């Protein structure tokens, strides 16, 4: 299962009761953060979540409201006594941007490794997460991220027996190990049925509504998407600033066939996002207007095993 | 008169109910900010104060909790439609540090000018403020700042008449103008009595208690000083990290003969600063343990005129 918490829901600037948009997920003891604007460490603290087990930070783009909180956040991770390497994934240039911001955070007790996204879609596998970056359409290079947890097939004892695999190896093979026994090699697929449906969460902000988002979010269990403005009169502003209307996000959710849509990255001018909820449900019924700190858990369809 | 608001009172990292230490003052239409950690813009917003009229930002030192909020803060000043130049004062290297942080805030609609403090004490006069930087003792180069508002002498009609100054120039001379009339030059001191006591506010964090602070804060109307720890058992930690105990700050206030002491920069481990108030009043009676957003006004002794 995948736990997630939408730490903040704001766009542009942090507000007293609305931190900047950022998501944290947790799977199998490893946490992953997407975006880290000014105040994200406060939002994390308010949610009661530790920064220490964060193994990956994904950055969508280099606007301050998505990345300026990094130096303070990294120092706080250090104060929480993290010593394991941290992986930061982001657009091309991410090492330089992080190093530049960290002019005031130079003594970290852990190493930072980087992966720069250079393709339109690019996949990183790390700590059980399948992280799929996909390019979107903002004023600067910007990526959305799909977080997937894959699920192997069910253990198939008949298959294992038929293949003549010694009983002593069954359990290790089920856990994904490849086993060499003399001149024989046994692989997990020999004891497993076909892959089962995993978990899929897609996160996208800041962008105009483009096809790459529909492709990336297809059939997602949860689609967290920018809803900068609710008032349809602001469409020109959204186009000019390369942001997304709530209605556009609802249409993307519909096209992608996601199970649930959560809005985020509200403009500071949107005081009560809730006021647009009924209208958006007219386009895509299963949508929600989260406030900071909303959380949930995505589980495997056929139960955990 | 000088209005002031202690926007935050925290040290090290911002917390959900305690922003990082930062002070804003306002005098004659011009605002001045000291320090700008992560979240200072949120604290400012929470206090209902506009970032637009801030003409000067003074930085004590380059640790993240005092400066990492700058990129977001400057962008928010830009969003508030500031176009006038901004002056940033700080330790040697301040232009490079600010530019490095602003890798994610490159399109500001105003120009930033810099003054680097290079002496042990250095004075800057700007927008009616007399800003006196003084070197303190931290792990990195760090300055405290005294903010003074000077006050000219009272208008002395007898003197003006005796000096034979034409009546038509009296008002302009009183306002500080120098007037040339043919081959004659009239200066303000010709119509004014001796300078009167002005307003003095001294701000100091992070430092060990050193003599330079006593000299700088002498007779201040308000002394805002670090009180990192209240528990005397933490003195070794304070010495090692080059921070100040509350008791040390109280002793500085006593030696400097200030009128009032406000504590700030509480360690995140200090949950209730108030618990140390009685003990500190035993050393320096007129001390207070502010929370975020405490404000006040310092007025001239003999009324405003």
């Amino acid at each position: 299962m995948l736990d997630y918490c939408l730490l903040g829901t704001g766009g542009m600037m942090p507000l007293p009761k609305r931190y900047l948009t950022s998501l944290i997920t947790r799977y199998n003891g490893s946490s992953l953060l997407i975006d880290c604007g000014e105040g994200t460490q406060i939002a994390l603290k308010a949610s009661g979540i530790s920064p220490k087990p964060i193994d990956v930070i994904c950055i969508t783009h280099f606007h301050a409201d998505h990345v300026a909180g990094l130096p303070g956040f990294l120092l706080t991770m250090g104060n929480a006594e993290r010593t394991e390497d941290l992986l930061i994934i982001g657009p091309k240039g991410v090492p330089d941007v992080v190093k530049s911001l960290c002019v005031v955070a130079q003594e970290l007790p852990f190493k930072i490794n980087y992966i720069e996204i250079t393709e339109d879609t690019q996949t990183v596998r790390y700590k059980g997460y399948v992280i799929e970056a996909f390019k979107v359409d903002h004023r600067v290079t910007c990526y959305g991220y799909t977080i997937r947890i894959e699920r192997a097939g069910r253990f198939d004892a008949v298959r294992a027996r038929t293949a003549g695999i010694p009983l002593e190896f069954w359990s290790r093979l089920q856990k994904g190990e490849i086993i060499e026994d003399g001149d024989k090699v046994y692989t997990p697929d020999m004891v497993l049925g076909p892959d089962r449906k995993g978990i899929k969460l897609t996160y996208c902000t800041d962008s105009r509504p483009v096809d790459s988002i529909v492709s990336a979010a297809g059939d997602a269990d949860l689609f967290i998407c920018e809803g900068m403005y609710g008032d349809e009169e602001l469409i020109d502003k959204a186009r000019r600033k390369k942001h997304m209307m709530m209605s556009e996000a609802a249409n993307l959710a519909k096209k992608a066939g996601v199970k649930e849509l959560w809005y985020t990255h509200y403009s500071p001018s949107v005081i009560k996002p809730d006021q647009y909820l009924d209208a958006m449900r007219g386009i895509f019924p299963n949508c929600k207007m989260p406030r900071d700190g909303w959380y949930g858990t995505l589980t495997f369809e056929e139960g955990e095993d």
Side-chain angles (χ1 to χ4, degrees), chain A:
Chain A
M1 63 184 194
L2 180 77
D3 294 316
Y4 57 93
C5 179
L6 187 60
L7 299 171
T9 56
M12 207 162 114
M13 62 182 73
L15 299 174
K17 297 197 174 178
R18 191 190 291 164
Y19 290 106
L20 288 168
T21 291
S22 172
L23 179 80
I24 190 164
T25 68
R26 188 155 176 81
Y27 170 69
N28 200 23
S30 175
S31 298
L32 174 153
L33 184 79
I34 308 183
D35 281 342
C36 188
E38 181 178 0
T40 291
Q41 68 161 308
I42 317 176
L44 191 77
K45 184 102 180 171
S47 294
I49 303 171
S50 168
K52 192 178 175 190
I54 295 174
D55 293 314
V56 196
I57 299 180
C58 303
I59 300 296
T60 56
H61 64 298
F62 302 144
H63 279 158
D65 56 334
H66 295 260
V67 70
L70 265 183
F73 198 95
L74 297 176
L75 284 169
T76 293
M77 286 180 76
N79 283 321
E81 296 183 353
R82 182 180 179 90
T83 52
E84 300 83 6
D85 286 10
L86 170 72
L87 174 64
I88 298 186
I89 301 174
K92 193 167 159 52
V94 67
D96 289 341
V97 170
V98 175
K99 281 168 198 163
S100 191
L101 285 170
C102 285
V103 62
V104 293
Q106 292 176 330
E107 293 167 31
L108 298 172
F110 52 86
K111 191 184 159 210
I112 303 177
N113 300 310
Y114 295 94
I115 292 179
E116 294 177 89
I117 306 296
T118 52
E119 309 295 322
D120 284 353
T121 62
Q122 196 168 325
T123 300
V124 175
R125 289 171 181 272
Y126 195 66
K127 301 270 180 185
Y129 288 105
V130 182
I131 304 161
E132 298 169 340
F134 55 97
K135 198 168 188 178
V136 295
D137 178 30
H138 194 41
R139 298 198 304 283
V140 297
T141 303
C142 182
Y143 296 90
Y145 290 96
T146 287
I147 307 301
R148 287 198 302 109
I149 307 297
E150 290 179 327
R151 194 180 195 200
R154 195 178 291 278
F155 184 76
D156 187 338
V158 175
R159 240 183 123 202
R161 203 172 293 118
T162 310
I165 297 168
L167 195 70
E168 59 186 295
F169 299 146
W170 286 17
S171 167
R172 285 162 63 197
L173 286 166
Q174 188 187 3
K175 286 174 186 156
E177 232 179 285
I178 294 171
I179 294 169
E180 291 182 51
D181 181 37
D183 57 351
K184 288 187 180 162
V185 176
Y186 301 114
T187 53
D189 62 287
M190 293 170 157
V191 302
L192 300 175
D195 282 357
R196 287 172 290 177
K197 189 181 175 307
I199 290 168
K200 178 172 176 178
L201 186 162
T202 297
Y203 174 101
C204 177
T205 183
D206 310 10
S207 179
R208 293 293 302 141
V210 287
D211 288 343
S212 65
I213 305 173
V214 177
S215 309
D219 298 323
D221 297 295
L222 178 62
F223 176 39
I224 299 178
C225 188
E226 168 182 13
M228 186 78 165
Y229 307 115
D231 182 348
E232 291 299 322
E233 288 183 4
L234 295 174
I235 179 70
D236 286 343
K237 193 171 179 186
R239 283 194 185 116
R240 206 170 56 245
K241 302 203 164 210
K242 295 257 186 183
H243 280 292
M244 208 186 299
M245 303 296 297
M246 289 179 183
S247 57
E248 292 171 326
N251 278 308
L252 289 181
K254 196 171 161 182
K255 279 190 207 167
V258 307
K259 283 197 189 141
E260 186 168 337
L261 164 65
W262 277 24
Y263 284 102
T264 191
H265 204 277
Y266 309 125
S267 161
S269 66
V270 175
I271 309 297
K272 292 184 178 176
D274 269 0
Q275 73 183 97
Y276 303 106
L277 190 54
D278 284 347
M280 294 313 119
R281 286 187 169 161
I283 304 171
F284 183 80
N286 197 16
C287 66
K288 289 180 178 159
M289 278 309 161
R291 273 173 289 180
D292 288 14
W294 276 33
Y295 60 90
T297 300
L298 296 174
T299 50
F300 292 122
E301 266 186 353
E302 303 163 58
E304 306 281 327
D305 67 6

